[in-house]
Amino acid sequence: MTTRRRFLRSIASLPAMLALQGTNPWSARARSIFDSDQVSDALARHRTLHSLAPGAVKPEGWLGIYLNKQAKQLSLHLPEVSRPFIGAYWAGEENAESWWPWEQRGYWVDGSLRCALVTGDQELLRVAQAPVDYTLSHAFPDGYLGPALIKNGKEDDPRVDNFRWPNTVFFRALAAKGEATNDPSIAAAMRKHYLSDRAPYGGPSRDVTNVEGMLWCYERTGDKRLLAMAENAWADFLLSAEPGDFESGDLHPTRVFADTPINAHGVTHIEKAKLPAILFLHTGNKEYLRFALAAQKRIFDHHMLIDGIPSTTEDYRGITALDSHETCCISDHTWTWGYLLMATGDGIWGDHIERACFNAAFGAIKKDWKAHQYFSCPNQVLATPTSNHTVLQHGNGWMSYRPNGGHGVACCGGNVHRMFPNYVIRMWMSEPEGGLAAILYGPSRIKTTVGSGQAVEIEQQTNYPFEEEIHFVFQSQEPVAFPWLFRIPRWCSSPAFYLNGKPITLLSMRNGFATLNRRFNPGDRITLVLPMKSSLSHWPGNGVGVEHGPLVYSLPIKEEWTPSVEAKWSTPEFPEWSAMPAGPWNYGLAVDDDNLRSQLQAQRKPMSEDPWVDPPINVVVPGRKIKEWDVEDSKKNPNQKFTPPLPVVTRDSAAAETEQIALVPYGATQLRLTIFPQVKREYGSGE
């Protein structure tokens, strides 16, 4: 007898041929998700790569500067600045209208605890760890971890009954402490929590995301009841997810494998779409992995922006110059892609994490780490209390820079703290044969074990992504043999390796990783060179963008900053910032793909102390001013102004004079123009 559940499971195994071809600049990269050997390779060893414990990797150089800024500034002080973070949620406070404050503060606890663990900042560790310790020591008699309101809360509509969702968010902090301290009591407490809880985790709400915590606990306790609980929750979720249903995340198999645009909230979709990848890690069931890959392909085919994060304001939207994303989605999409990397062993997911963090993440924060945006955009020529140009909350302050970007909707105010600690934690991973994989690049130091347990330390000396060379200095008590994998980004066509200054030939290269399998001696220095090239990407409305290696380039717009303080949400030390343009920005680019090498020039200078404030590299391009292209006035409120859409460029509107304009890395900007109108060559003087 064919039950509805069996029918849905059979749909989930449909081959990738049902996926449709995309039409945006990311479609070729999206197709590579299926064109590679990810599924077959992962099936051969379904636990392909494994994340290391928080604290194994320590950031240094520019990366250390920014993690320490985060630790000393907003991560440490947010509980003194803004609601709901000033409340005792997860540390004793039980009064709220619904589950929201526990979700929002849970994000901050997780991100700040991880930041403390990777930086070693003891003051932040004390503050961030307090809610974790309180929750673990105040379990209910049945083992439930969390407040009574969430334990007993319930909505009339099961699709939005998200009362177990805050546990997913907060339990990631429990997992971070459990991994960092190797404390088995944390997994034991979570095991008791899940096995005693009778919540309907398999419904259409976000509660199903607890599969992540269940499987983390299963991996450490070996209790197969947790695995069964996780698999049943996912199967029941698929039964409840009607085709096209917004609240369930639009994850019905008939939609996922048809490669349709996504009709869902960004966080809802991506937090659920990662679950089959995690299930694959623990079961080896290929249908889980195929589902996870198909879900990601929809994102890249239909919604991806130039800075590496899809348009999510807050729902998935289009790819015009004004489409933007929620800062929550930077943390959540990169976190999900880490699981895809572990499941597939394919470096393309490291490429995606790197692109999003270097561009979207740095582009959403103020460089002193005292404020961030709720929504950020490739094109934002102003960021004020009324400049939000997106459909959702049009005209409000969600695009200004604030310590709590959304005020009462404080999810991004908490989630922003997870971006960079998770980048550091996942810079290295272990592989099944006792080796190591260099996943993400940046100045750092790792201490771990390889082979049969030999202790090693590797220092990553580099100014990447601002320079092309990455030096790995290896130390151990004695020579050690192990496989060492290096991610080779898809944008790099001619990588080079050197061992102690001499060129070496690699033994193998597959799925975005080069493997060097040999005996390494103390003091060995391996150099990886990733030559970077400039390229153009094309966008709707005659838009064009400039990329160089992993970095997207933008025209930096000089800002006129105005601070303000609003009670409950900000303080004089951590104010809210309004930014108006104080310099020209209305340029089109007079570039084309056929003459790109002669038109774009990358210029370098010595590495600066803070490359995101004083970039050591820029790209000079020919540009022409576009007449009468100015900030857009609101039709309803004359006091409101917005970033304008791309103009239609004509011979008359494009200035005849060509100027050489310097673009800087996207992440080094606050106000910026990233998608430019393309100016035809014949519109210029004398052409």
Side-chain angles (χ1 to χ4, degrees):
M1 178 178 176
T2 302
T3 65
R4 186 163 181 255
R5 179 174 296 179
R6 288 177 179 171
F7 172 70
L8 284 175
R9 284 177 172 168
S10 70
I11 292 174
S13 66
L14 288 175
M17 67 181 182
L18 289 178
L20 304 178
Q21 299 294 315
T23 57
N24 68 30
W26 285 87
S27 59
R29 305 178 205 196
R31 286 195 296 275
S32 71
I33 291 173
F34 279 108
D35 293 342
S36 74
D37 295 322
Q38 291 190 67
V39 175
S40 59
D41 277 10
L43 285 174
R45 329 177 271 184
H46 71 264
R47 192 67 177 181
T48 305
L49 295 170
H50 198 292
S51 184
L52 303 180
V57 182
K58 298 292 185 184
E60 297 183 341
W62 70 257
L63 188 56
I65 287 174
Y66 270 83
L67 267 296
N68 284 309
K69 278 186 187 182
Q70 176 181 338
K72 297 295 185 185
Q73 298 298 342
L74 207 50
S75 284
L76 177 63
H77 295 290
L78 187 59
E80 307 160 8
V81 174
S82 182
R83 294 184 181 181
F85 306 101
I86 60 177
Y89 302 103
W90 294 110
E93 186 168 322
E94 295 290 323
N95 296 317
E97 293 182 3
S98 189
W99 50 265
W100 294 71
W102 284 275
E103 174 213 33
Q104 295 159 355
R105 198 166 194 261
Y107 281 136
W108 168 80
V109 174
D110 178 42
S112 294
L113 179 59
R114 290 169 183 267
C115 184
L117 292 170
V118 302
T119 60
D121 190 296
Q122 294 302 301
E123 185 177 12
L124 180 60
L125 182 63
R126 175 184 59 81
V127 172
Q129 192 169 248
V132 171
D133 293 342
Y134 178 91
T135 299
L136 288 170
S137 62
H138 288 77
F140 280 74
D142 63 358
Y144 180 85
L145 298 171
L149 184 145
I150 293 181
K151 185 179 194 293
N152 302 317
K154 185 173 179 59
E155 297 281 359
D156 293 334
D157 184 350
R159 297 181 306 156
V160 295
D161 190 10
N162 296 319
F163 276 90
R164 290 297 187 273
W165 155 242
N167 293 88
T168 295
V169 174
F170 185 75
F171 282 11
R172 289 190 282 230
L174 300 186
K177 182 178 180 182
E179 293 172 18
T181 61
N182 198 26
D183 182 356
S185 69
I186 294 177
M190 288 174 59
R191 170 182 172 273
K192 186 175 182 181
H193 166 93
Y194 280 122
L195 293 181
S196 66
D197 194 19
R198 295 295 178 261
Y201 287 107
S205 74
R206 288 190 190 179
D207 292 355
V208 70
T209 59
N210 279 272
V211 164
E212 181 178 9
M214 294 170 192
L215 293 175
W216 182 88
C217 188
Y218 163 66
E219 182 176 6
R220 285 152 183 84
T221 66
D223 193 323
K224 293 184 178 180
R225 291 176 294 176
L226 291 163
L227 176 60
M229 188 179 189
E231 289 203 90
N232 288 335
W234 178 251
D236 289 342
F237 166 74
L238 288 183
L239 286 171
S240 69
E242 298 297 333
D245 178 52
F246 177 88
E247 294 296 346
S248 65
D250 194 16
L251 282 164
H252 190 275
T254 57
R255 295 273 294 173
V256 170
F257 283 95
D259 194 21
T260 59
I262 301 168
N263 175 44
H265 184 275
V267 169
T268 299
H269 177 87
I270 198 64
E271 287 280 7
K272 294 177 180 179
K274 74 180 186 297
L275 302 179
I278 309 174
L279 283 163
F280 171 78
L281 286 169
H282 295 280
T283 65
N285 184 334
K286 66 180 180 180
E287 304 311 335
Y288 286 137
L289 184 56
R290 292 189 190 279
F291 189 104
L293 291 171
Q296 296 304 312
K297 187 174 186 297
R298 295 172 78 194
I299 295 172
F300 287 90
D301 268 345
H302 302 289
H303 306 287
M304 187 60 66
L305 300 179
I306 191 173
D307 63 1
I309 289 293
S311 60
T312 46
T313 53
E314 291 184 351
D315 312 337
Y316 286 101
R317 302 190 191 275
I319 57 170
T320 71
L322 293 185
D323 279 300
S324 313
H325 48 65
E326 190 184 355
T327 295
C328 272
C329 285
I330 305 173
S331 294
D332 292 337
H333 282 76
T334 52
W335 181 247
T336 289
W337 295 336
Y339 283 119
L340 266 295
L341 193 151
M342 286 185 269
T344 63
D346 196 302
I348 193 172
W349 301 105
D351 297 358
H352 295 322
I353 295 169
E354 173 185 84
R355 185 182 182 97
C357 287
F358 290 162
N359 298 288
F362 275 105
I365 64 167
K366 208 164 183 292
K367 304 309 178 281
D368 58 5
W369 247 112
K370 288 188 173 185
H372 68 94
Q373 295 178 285
Y374 189 95
F375 287 158
S376 58
C377 186
N379 282 11
Q380 49 187 44
V381 304
L382 72 169
T384 73
T386 60
S387 70
N388 176 18
H389 61 250
T390 69
V391 173
L392 187 67
Q393 298 296 322
H394 184 76
N396 76 350
W398 283 3
M399 296 194 84
S400 58
Y401 288 86
R402 309 193 285 198
N404 176 0
H407 284 184
V409 186
C411 50
C412 293
N415 217 345
V416 68
H417 301 267
R418 299 176 61 230
M419 298 186 303
F420 298 125
N422 284 334
Y423 182 92
V424 173
I425 290 168
R426 286 174 166 175
M427 291 180 77
W428 291 86
M429 293 185 183
S430 61
E431 64 91 53
E433 298 177 5
L436 277 178
I439 304 294
L440 304 170
Y441 299 129
S444 57
R445 186 183 302 267
I446 179 178
K447 293 183 179 180
T448 189
T449 58
V450 297
S452 57
Q454 294 95 330
V456 300
E457 179 176 336
I458 303 172
E459 182 183 3
Q460 195 175 152
Q461 300 174 345
T462 183
N463 292 323
Y464 184 89
F466 306 100
E467 296 177 2
E468 299 175 342
E469 292 188 359
I470 306 168
H471 306 282
F472 301 89
V473 181
F474 178 83
Q475 298 292 349
S476 62
Q477 290 295 318
E478 57 187 9
V480 184
F482 65 95
W484 187 340
L485 282 64
F486 301 82
R487 179 179 59 87
I488 306 300
R490 294 299 202 271
W491 50 259
C492 182
S493 59
S494 55
F497 279 84
Y498 300 84
L499 175 61
N500 299 323
K502 297 181 179 179
I504 56 175
T505 302
L506 299 180
L507 296 178
S508 63
M509 184 167 173
R510 186 173 180 81
N511 282 351
F513 282 100
T515 299
L516 185 59
N517 198 343
R518 58 170 290 133
R519 182 177 296 274
F520 297 94
N521 297 307
D524 274 350
R525 182 182 178 91
I526 295 103
T527 298
L528 168 60
V529 182
L530 298 173
M532 302 179 186
K533 296 180 181 179
S534 297
S535 62
L536 298 180
S537 56
H538 296 271
W539 302 87
N542 191 38
V544 63
V546 176
E547 305 171 22
H548 185 78
L551 297 177
V552 174
Y553 281 75
S554 305
L555 177 68
I557 302 172
K558 186 178 180 181
E559 311 96 346
E560 181 181 313
W561 293 101
T562 304
S564 63
V565 175
E566 187 171 349
K568 301 191 302 183
W569 312 119
S570 51
T571 66
E573 179 65 21
F574 290 87
E576 306 185 6
W577 291 96
S578 173
M580 290 293 293
W585 54 265
N586 56 324
Y587 286 94
L589 295 191
V591 294
D592 58 79
D593 294 279
D594 294 336
N595 300 282
L596 192 61
R597 181 170 295 185
S598 63
Q599 293 169 335
L600 272 62
Q601 181 181 1
Q603 296 182 336
R604 300 180 184 273
K605 65 179 184 180
M607 182 67 174
S608 57
E609 181 179 356
D610 188 336
W612 301 103
V613 172
D614 180 17
I617 183 173
N618 62 41
V619 175
V620 178
V621 298
R624 296 190 180 124
K625 284 187 177 178
I626 309 300
K627 303 170 188 176
E628 299 181 359
W629 187 29
D630 203 348
V631 293
E632 186 174 61
D633 294 323
S634 170
K635 296 178 181 178
K636 296 181 179 180
N637 186 340
N639 296 318
Q640 289 184 338
K641 295 182 181 297
F642 303 101
T643 298
L646 295 183
V648 175
V649 180
T650 66
R651 185 181 299 274
D652 293 334
S653 66
E657 180 182 358
T658 299
E659 303 178 41
Q660 296 299 310
I661 59 175
L663 310 184
V664 302
Y666 182 110
T669 65
Q670 247 85 72
L671 300 184
R672 56 182 165 263
L673 200 66
T674 310
I675 305 298
F676 299 82
Q678 189 171 18
V679 182
K680 295 181 180 180
R681 296 184 65 195
E682 59 266 26
Y683 289 173
S685 175
E687 296 182 340

